[in-house]
Amino acid sequence: MLRLSKKTDYALMAMKHLASDPRRRAASAREIAESYDIPIELMAKVLTRLVRSGLLVSHQGVHGGYELAQPPAATSVAAVLEAIDGPLTMTACTHGDHECDQFSKCNVRDPLRRIRDRIAAILAECSILEIAADPEPSAPPVRVMSSPAMRRVSAL
Amino acid sequence: MLRLSKKTDYALMAMKHLASDPRRRAASAREIAESYDIPIELMAKVLTRLVRSGLLVSHQGVHGGYELAQPPAATSVAAVLEAIDGPLTMTACTHGDHECDQFSKCNVRDPLRRIRDRIAAILAECSILEIAADPEPSAPPVRVMSSPAMRRVSAL
DNA sequence: GAATATCCGACCAATCTGGTCGTATCTTAA
DNA sequence: TTAAGATACGACCAGATTGGTCGGATATTC
């Protein structure tokens, strides 16, 4: 659960690809797609969404392709997620739309919104630059918890 | 995106319900379901999973029902998510299974795992007690970012 | 033994998602 | 001016996931 969509994965791969390219020239959808065994049409669709959201700029024509619209440090992972899958929701009621059957009686709405905000902050603070700087975490590696350990609250 | 499943919502609602009940006695699936307009059979299925994961204990029979297996502070939101939807994954490759077509060439695997770990830490640190203490966040409220703001990295 | 519970698996319909296809349009270069 | 290489865009499909339902088995109390 809390799964990222495949399209989001592809988007992040493409963003990193563009951020890491030393030549800093436009890369075509085909080039990126083939680098990672991604279906070309799907990659193209993803890239188009990134353009529409202003994260990439595109050039049509023979030597066209895609470039980062901003330096890698200026684009957050959150922005990429939003570009592909729309606003970061978590629950049906996160943003206004009272479309959930339990809306009136729900007792976890506010607490969940708080959690959502914390997660959103993490995603907003993580830039493509950080993603591109693969070798070694900049933050101290948080201990991965296995199921039994997660059962109990660690800090509190 | 990053949506919680409805079952997880229901599970959290039930956990909070049980944590908030001053009488501290077993509540039946019916009682919980009716409190929040949740389909009874579905609530029952969710509660059963919570029992199987050791977060609740159940008593069958006429005055049976469900109780928290531990004090509310000892159960994390992460544990509830895992009980309902299995291990917190984010990507297809998060836990061993190399079932993703891009596995061999993927360039964002490690960075994404780092992000996943940070999110898992947040969920592991948030207890049912915190969820039950609805009125007012214990942590300073993180600013909710609207789409345009999220586009740029805030801290970095 | 009747009533009230949990337990468990099968099942279904609707939605979501990954992926495909066809076509239009733009831009460069020969 | 024309061909090639590229993005843009919308329609479409099949498979997976999910929310929800149903039927029956088992346990416990009165």
Side-chain angles (χ1 to χ4, degrees):
Chain A
M1 236 302 135
L2 278 184
R3 192 71 72 90
L4 254 53
S5 75
K6 219 94 191 285
K7 286 173 194 159
T8 302
D9 286 342
Y10 295 161
L12 290 170
M13 292 166 81
M15 292 296 285
K16 171 165 179 176
H17 182 91
L18 292 169
S20 306
D21 185 359
R23 301 163 308 169
R24 268 292 172 284
R25 57 168 200 76
S28 70
R30 154 168 278 108
E31 173 194 328
I32 302 177
E34 289 179 348
S35 299
Y36 306 102
D37 285 348
I38 299 170
I40 301 177
E41 298 89 347
L42 190 50
M43 182 82 265
K45 184 186 292 188
V46 165
L47 290 167
T48 299
R49 290 198 203 173
L50 292 173
V51 169
R52 266 202 285 249
S53 300
L55 304 183
L56 295 181
V57 290
S58 64
H59 304 292
Q60 284 188 322
V62 169
H63 290 119
Y66 300 88
E67 290 175 289
L68 294 182
Q70 304 162 339
T75 299
S76 69
V77 170
V80 176
L81 296 209
E82 280 206 347
I84 302 300
D85 286 326
L88 184 51
T89 53
M90 271 198 79
T91 61
C93 57
T94 305
H95 58 301
D97 320 359
H98 305 358
E99 61 192 23
C100 169
D101 291 347
Q102 287 74 35
F103 187 83
S104 61
K105 310 196 175 179
C106 181
N107 62 342
V108 294
R109 190 159 49 239
D110 286 0
L112 281 185
R113 193 168 50 223
R114 253 178 284 143
I115 292 179
R116 188 212 86 102
D117 290 346
R118 292 181 213 166
I119 292 177
I122 284 182
L123 297 173
E125 282 163 16
C126 183
S127 71
I128 294 300
L129 176 64
E130 190 175 339
I131 297 289
D134 197 9
E136 284 330 296
S138 61
V142 176
R143 199 65 203 93
V144 184
M145 320 209 182
S146 58
S147 301
M150 279 185 103
R151 189 157 296 149
R152 300 212 143 247
V153 173
S154 49
L156 190 71
Chain B
M1 234 302 136
L2 276 184
R3 192 70 73 88
L4 253 54
S5 74
K6 219 96 191 286
K7 286 174 193 157
T8 302
D9 287 342
Y10 295 160
L12 290 170
M13 293 166 82
M15 292 296 286
K16 171 165 179 177
H17 182 91
L18 292 169
S20 307
D21 184 358
R23 300 163 309 167
R24 269 290 173 285
R25 57 169 200 75
S28 71
R30 153 168 280 106
E31 173 194 328
I32 303 176
E34 288 180 347
S35 298
Y36 307 102
D37 284 348
I38 300 170
I40 302 177
E41 299 89 347
L42 190 48
M43 182 83 267
K45 184 186 291 188
V46 165
L47 290 168
T48 299
R49 290 198 203 174
L50 293 174
V51 169
R52 265 202 285 250
S53 300
L55 304 183
L56 295 181
V57 290
S58 64
H59 303 293
Q60 284 188 322
V62 169
H63 289 118
Y66 300 87
E67 290 174 288
L68 294 182
Q70 305 161 339
T75 299
S76 69
V77 171
V80 176
L81 295 210
E82 280 207 347
I84 303 301
D85 287 326
L88 183 53
T89 54
M90 273 198 79
T91 61
C93 58
T94 305
H95 57 301
D97 321 0
H98 306 358
E99 58 193 27
C100 169
D101 291 348
Q102 287 73 36
F103 186 84
S104 60
K105 310 195 176 179
C106 180
N107 62 343
V108 293
R109 192 158 49 237
D110 286 1
L112 282 186
R113 195 168 49 221
R114 253 178 283 143
I115 292 180
R116 189 213 86 103
D117 291 346
R118 291 180 214 166
I119 292 177
I122 285 182
L123 297 174
E125 282 163 17
C126 183
S127 72
I128 294 300
L129 176 65
E130 189 175 340
I131 297 289
D134 197 9
E136 284 330 296
S138 60
V142 176
R143 201 65 205 95
V144 184
M145 320 208 181
S146 58
S147 300
M150 279 185 105
R151 190 155 297 149
R152 299 210 144 247
V153 173
S154 49
L156 189 72

